[in-house]
């Protein structure tokens, strides 16, 4: 019986090609815009999230501004922080701007960062050649450096920098490693940075205390417990002075951003779905015209024994068929638009089963809602009047 | 012979602008299995209304109507649709074939609503089309058929479900005289095969093909004496 109805619907759609096409166009545009917007927002969000995650979703950043008495953290504070449960390591960063010289080639205002072995263990994949800074370098205050790709290009002009000697703030350092170029949104780029052991950095750059520390978590699900332990250590270190430090969790930022983009995609999809409603009205209009045109047919079918429910079902199937058809074309069009956008804005396109179900579900719902009234009208036609209508 | 249709004191009124118009006035009619009855009357006599009530397309204002042991009183639209499907085969003046379906598919229609499986449907539709002499026209669409052929398809459609009554409304009204005569011969053959036929017409010559004629005038039925049927002229006088 459903098959019969689908066959009849198909023949009606085929027999009114132009009208069906124009009617379906409304749904196509509606579904396409909803799908394109959702896919674009999701894809862009995914790319941004990935970039931020790459910076370290598994770390908590501590900024210690300190107090007049104690201007940052010391070695003791660091060992206390690394002793916290679920903390896999602590990496201090000492940052300063200074001049770097290789032979007679000098670059001023280069960011020099003091790091430890924990940083290079966590980010080992970022080494392009040579090695990172290890624990012996840190303990012995070895004068070795790992340099960013842009700096390497500027100083060594394409020559391999590993093994060469440079001067950092007047002290001689041996280059032991080259960092991979970072790309994309350039957030936290290390392309123009020179990294040296933080102990050496404190000596060479004349820094006495540590103001920035990354705490790596062994289990990021435990971040709340870890943060409260960090607060405990820092409160003690700074004698419970207010505003002496900041604790910043990357995961919190990711979550906040997820909320914002989620809301944004809902709002955009909401606006786009207005066009879906317009498309639905188009379907309703066509179905009403169709009912009027086929009054005699409806009357005859009733005379031959079609129950009102069957007539209603047939018209309902026809409208759902139309809108589903539009939905599928709209889905393809929307994905195509998103694909083009992905190439232009440069993000990875993600088409989920959810998106497809959304398109299909949306259009089927439109068909049912806007097909109901015409179908009901058809089912209620009086067969005598309908047969007389010629 | 069993009575398959019994009408007792059927009244049908229409309400137009506060005025009551009596279209059928206490109609009594009994039809037995195998009869070929014509209901003869001029336009406005109430014959269309009577046909609608016989065909279960309409319900009487009052009175009792029993069709093949179904009491048609108090039935809702769904139940009426089922009775139409099972008990009545309609033949209309304007054929009423669906233009987008082939002859075979048109004949299949009532069987779809009766829930007959596809294979059986096709077989039965083909057999009945052969019976009405259209074995070579099954794949044709209505617009590829002559009027007489279209009416044959419609007749095939009306009997394919083996209904209790074949109800024909001016079946020759849209046909030329010769074709009309052939259609009437088909009706006679079907009647000879045991089918009960009720035909509504205003044409005495057409009515004369049937075995029994009932006149209707101003909503009242007058039974035509059987012996007068052969000589058609007397009917006009008696009305």
């Amino acid at each position: 019986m459903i098959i019969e109805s689908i066959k009849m619907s198909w023949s009606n759609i085929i027999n009114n090609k132009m009208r069906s096409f124009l009617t379906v166009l409304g749904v196509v545009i509606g579904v396409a815009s909803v799908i394109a917007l959702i896919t674009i927002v999701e894809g862009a969000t995914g790319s941004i999230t990935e970039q931020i995650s790459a910076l370290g979703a598994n770390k908590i950043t501590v900024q210690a501004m300190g107090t007049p008495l104690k201007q940052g953290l010391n070695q003791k504070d660091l060992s206390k922080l690394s002793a916290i449960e679920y903390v896999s390591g602590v990496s201090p960063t000492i940052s300063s701007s200074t001049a770097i010289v290789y032979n007679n080639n000098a670059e001023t205002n280069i960011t020099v960062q003091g790091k430890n072995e924990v940083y290079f263990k966590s980010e080992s994949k970022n080494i392009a050649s040579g090695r990172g800074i290890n624990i012996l370098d840190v303990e012995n205050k070895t004068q070795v450096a790992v340099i960013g790709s842009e700096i390497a290009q500027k100083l060594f002009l394409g020559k391999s920098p590993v093994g060469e000697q440079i001067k950092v703030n007047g002290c001689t350092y041996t280059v032991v490693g080259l960092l991979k170029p970072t790309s994309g949104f350039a957030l936290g780029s290390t392309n123009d940075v020179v990294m040296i052991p933080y102990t050496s950095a404190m000596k060479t750059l004349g820094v006495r205390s540590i103001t920035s520390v990354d705490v790596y978590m062994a289990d990021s699900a435990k971040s709340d417990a870890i943060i409260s332990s960090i607060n405990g250590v820092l409160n003690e270190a700074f004698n419970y002075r207010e505003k002496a430090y900041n604790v910043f969790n990357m995961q919190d930022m990711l979550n906040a951003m997820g909320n914002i983009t989620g809301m944004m995609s809902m709002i955009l999809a909401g606006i786009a779905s207005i066009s879906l409603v317009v498309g639905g009205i188009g379907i309703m209009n066509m179905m009403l015209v169709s009912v009027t045109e086929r009054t005699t047919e409806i009357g005859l079918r009733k005379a031959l024994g079609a129950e009102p429910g069957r007539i209603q079902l047939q018209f309902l199937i026809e409208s759902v068929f139309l809108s589903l058809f539009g939905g599928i074309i709209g889905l393809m069009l929307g994905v195509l638009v998103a694909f083009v956008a992905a190439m232009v804005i440069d993000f990875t396109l993600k088409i989920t089963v959810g998106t497809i179900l959304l398109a299909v579900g949306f259009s089927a719902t439109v068909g049912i809602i806007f097909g109901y009234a015409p179908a009901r009208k058809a089912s209620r036609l009086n067969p005598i009047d309908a047969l007389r209508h010629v | 012979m069993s009575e398959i249709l019994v009408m007792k004191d059927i009244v049908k009124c229409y309400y137009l602008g506060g005025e009551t118009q009596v279209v059928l006035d206490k109609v009594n009619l009994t039809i037995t299995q195998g009869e070929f009855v014509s209901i003869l009357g001029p336009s406005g006599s109430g014959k269309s209304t009577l046909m609608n009530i016989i065909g279960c397309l309409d319900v009487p204002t009052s009175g009792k109507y029993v069709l093949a042991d179904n009491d048609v009183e108090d039935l809702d639209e769904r139940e009426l649709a089922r009775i139409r499907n099972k008990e009545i085969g309609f033949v209309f003046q304007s054929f009423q074939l669906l233009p987008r379906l082939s002859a075979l598919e048109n004949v299949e229609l009532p069987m779809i609503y009766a829930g007959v499986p596809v294979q059986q449907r096709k077989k039965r539709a083909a057999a009945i089309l052969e019976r009405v002499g259209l074995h070579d026209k099954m794949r044709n669409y209505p617009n590829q058929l002559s009027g007489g052929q279209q009416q044959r398809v419609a007749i095939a459609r009306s009997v394919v479900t083996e209904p209790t009554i074949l109800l024909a409304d001016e079946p020759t009204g849209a046909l030329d005289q010769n074709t009309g005569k052939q259609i009437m011969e088909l009706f006679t053959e079907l009647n000879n095969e045991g089918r009960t036929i009720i035909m509504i017409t205003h044409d005495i010559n057409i009515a004369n093909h049937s075995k029994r004629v009932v006149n209707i005038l101003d909503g009242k039925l007058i039974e035509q004496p059987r012996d007068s049927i052969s000589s058609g002229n007397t009917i006009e006088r008696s009305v």
Side-chain angles (χ1 to χ4, degrees):
Chain A
M1 168 172 156
I2 301 263
I3 295 167
E4 301 295 332
S5 299
I6 289 174
K7 258 201 235 156
M8 283 176 211
S9 304
W10 180 247
S11 100
N12 279 317
I13 290 164
I14 288 301
N15 274 287
N16 293 302
K17 279 190 201 79
M18 192 59 181
R19 194 164 77 186
S20 304
F21 168 72
L22 291 175
T23 306
V24 157
L25 203 57
V27 179
V28 169
I29 291 168
V31 171
S33 47
V34 170
I35 294 303
L37 279 171
I38 289 178
T39 312
I40 290 169
V41 169
E42 264 181 10
T45 307
S47 293
I48 295 168
T49 310
E50 234 168 72
Q51 303 268 353
I52 293 175
S53 296
L55 291 179
N58 62 334
K59 72 185 178 192
I60 294 165
T61 303
V62 174
Q63 294 286 341
M65 290 77 79
T67 64
L69 283 176
K70 190 182 181 193
Q71 282 170 342
L73 296 167
N74 54 32
Q75 290 293 347
K76 238 171 80 186
D77 300 325
L78 287 188
S79 26
K80 275 187 194 167
L81 285 175
S82 48
I84 292 169
E85 206 183 352
Y86 300 118
V87 167
S88 61
V90 167
S91 163
T93 300
I94 284 162
S95 198
S96 182
S97 248
T98 188
I100 307 287
V101 183
Y102 170 69
N103 285 345
N104 290 324
N105 196 354
E107 290 285 331
T108 50
N109 265 332
I110 299 300
T111 306
V112 176
Q113 289 183 343
K115 296 278 189 188
N116 70 356
E117 77 286 354
V118 172
Y119 174 82
F120 285 95
K121 236 184 268 169
S122 312
E123 329 268 336
S124 59
K125 60 180 187 300
N126 291 340
I127 298 288
S129 64
R131 64 172 178 89
I133 290 161
N134 60 34
I135 190 158
L136 289 172
D137 296 327
V138 174
E139 278 176 2
N140 300 331
K141 301 181 190 172
T142 321
Q143 297 196 327
V144 292
V146 176
I147 63 174
S149 56
E150 258 174 56
I151 291 281
Q153 187 59 35
K154 278 182 202 156
L155 285 177
F156 299 99
L157 309 162
K159 198 169 75 177
S160 167
V162 176
E164 300 294 326
Q165 302 212 313
I166 54 170
K167 280 199 156 68
V168 178
N169 208 19
C171 300
T172 306
Y173 278 75
T174 307
V175 177
V176 294
L178 175 67
L179 292 170
K180 275 185 193 162
T182 54
S183 61
F185 287 78
L187 208 56
S189 164
T190 55
N191 289 346
D192 47 6
V193 168
V194 171
M195 291 180 181
I196 57 179
Y198 81 96
T199 46
S200 316
M202 287 170 87
K203 208 170 75 183
T204 303
L205 303 172
V207 179
R208 293 189 168 185
S209 51
I210 301 153
T211 52
S212 172
V213 177
D214 287 335
V215 178
Y216 288 89
M217 297 180 281
D219 181 357
S220 47
K222 295 281 194 300
S223 64
D224 287 348
I226 295 169
I227 286 169
S228 79
S229 300
I230 291 172
N231 282 333
V233 170
L234 295 178
N235 279 336
E236 209 178 302
F238 295 114
N239 212 7
Y240 296 93
R241 283 274 208 141
E242 271 177 35
K243 294 179 183 166
Y245 65 90
N246 262 333
V247 175
F248 180 74
N249 184 6
M250 200 63 92
Q251 193 60 47
D252 287 347
M253 188 177 149
L254 277 180
N255 292 347
M257 208 188 67
N259 286 343
I260 293 168
T261 51
M263 214 184 294
M264 203 166 84
S265 93
M266 291 292 276
I267 291 168
L268 285 173
I271 294 168
S273 58
I274 292 172
S275 55
L276 207 55
V277 172
V278 176
I281 292 168
I283 287 199
M284 190 164 178
N285 189 29
M286 167 164 171
M287 292 311 296
L288 284 172
V289 170
S290 181
V291 169
T292 309
E293 276 182 352
R294 283 150 67 191
T295 300
T296 343
E297 176 190 331
I298 295 163
L300 174 76
R301 287 179 185 278
K302 285 192 146 191
L304 296 184
E307 293 162 20
R310 269 194 98 137
I311 301 280
Q312 188 169 352
L313 186 74
Q314 193 195 324
F315 278 85
L316 212 50
I317 284 176
E318 201 168 317
S319 69
V320 170
F321 208 69
L322 267 178
S323 60
L324 261 184
F325 193 61
I328 288 162
I329 295 175
L331 175 68
M332 294 193 279
L333 193 67
V335 167
L336 189 74
V337 168
F339 180 74
V340 171
M343 288 206 299
V344 172
I345 326 174
D346 184 31
F347 63 83
T348 348
L349 191 65
K350 266 192 300 184
I351 294 147
T352 57
V353 179
T355 313
I356 295 165
L357 287 181
L358 190 78
V360 173
F362 249 8
S363 46
T365 310
V366 163
I368 291 171
I369 290 174
F370 291 95
Y372 182 80
R376 185 135 188 89
K377 186 183 168 193
S379 78
R380 287 191 161 179
L381 280 179
N382 181 346
I384 302 168
D385 298 338
L387 279 169
R388 208 177 290 144
H389 181 286
V390 176
Chain B
M1 291 243 192
S2 56
E3 293 174 345
I4 52 166
L5 182 151
V6 179
M7 284 186 151
K8 202 158 168 34
D9 294 332
I10 292 287
V11 174
K12 182 69 185 178
C13 302
Y14 287 114
Y15 302 96
L16 283 172
E19 262 180 75
T20 307
Q21 198 184 350
V22 180
V23 182
L24 292 178
D25 188 6
K26 294 202 172 172
V27 167
N28 289 294
L29 182 65
T30 302
I31 290 171
T32 55
Q33 173 77 46
E35 276 196 278
F36 187 176
V37 185
S38 286
I39 294 171
L40 179 67
S43 59
S45 59
K47 66 179 193 302
S48 289
T49 306
L50 182 61
M51 189 206 87
N52 289 338
I53 290 175
I54 292 172
C56 296
L57 290 166
D58 205 351
V59 285
T61 310
S62 73
K64 195 166 177 62
Y65 175 32
V66 178
L67 175 65
D69 297 329
N70 298 292
D71 199 335
V72 181
E73 241 170 324
D74 310 321
L75 292 184
D76 66 17
E77 263 212 68
R78 239 176 83 217
E79 293 159 323
L80 284 175
R82 284 210 190 116
I83 290 195
R84 285 199 293 272
N85 184 246
K86 199 165 162 265
E87 315 289 359
I88 312 270
F90 286 97
V91 176
F92 301 97
Q93 178 176 1
S94 48
F95 324 134
Q96 301 285 17
L97 300 176
L98 294 189
R100 276 192 235 114
L101 302 184
S102 68
L104 191 77
E105 288 167 326
N106 265 292
V107 176
E108 276 183 66
L109 267 182
M111 289 189 283
I112 291 176
Y113 297 121
V116 178
V118 183
Q119 292 307 320
Q120 210 182 327
R121 223 157 64 197
K122 301 242 179 258
K123 239 168 84 184
R124 271 164 69 179
I128 207 86
L129 276 170
E130 212 168 315
R131 165 68 192 83
V132 298
L134 291 174
H135 57 278
D136 55 341
K137 306 280 184 198
M138 291 182 196
R139 300 276 157 217
N140 288 33
Y141 288 86
N143 61 6
Q144 300 166 319
L145 297 171
S146 71
Q149 286 168 335
Q150 287 187 55
Q151 195 61 302
R152 280 170 192 274
V153 174
I155 291 166
R157 181 181 66 190
S158 74
V159 295
V160 75
T161 49
E162 302 288 337
T164 311
I165 290 172
L166 201 170
L167 187 58
D169 180 20
E170 302 277 10
T172 58
L175 303 172
D176 62 66
Q177 225 176 354
N178 207 17
T179 317
K181 219 178 118 195
Q182 286 168 12
I183 291 294
M184 288 321 298
E185 278 162 14
L186 180 58
F187 276 125
T188 307
E189 285 172 35
L190 290 170
N191 177 241
N192 290 340
E193 286 167 18
R195 290 176 207 276
T196 313
I197 301 172
I198 301 174
M199 187 171 63
I200 315 285
T201 185
H202 68 279
D203 186 342
I204 181 111
N205 295 315
I206 293 300
N208 279 346
H209 283 89
S210 62
K211 294 176 186 160
R212 175 182 165 197
V213 176
V214 178
N215 292 291
I216 181 164
L217 194 67
D218 296 333
K220 289 183 198 296
L221 283 192
I222 305 140
E223 195 80 28
Q224 177 78 31
R226 279 189 189 236
D227 50 3
S228 69
I229 291 171
S230 50
S231 56
N233 291 344
T234 52
I235 289 161
E236 231 109 21
R237 260 176 268 137
S238 73
V239 162

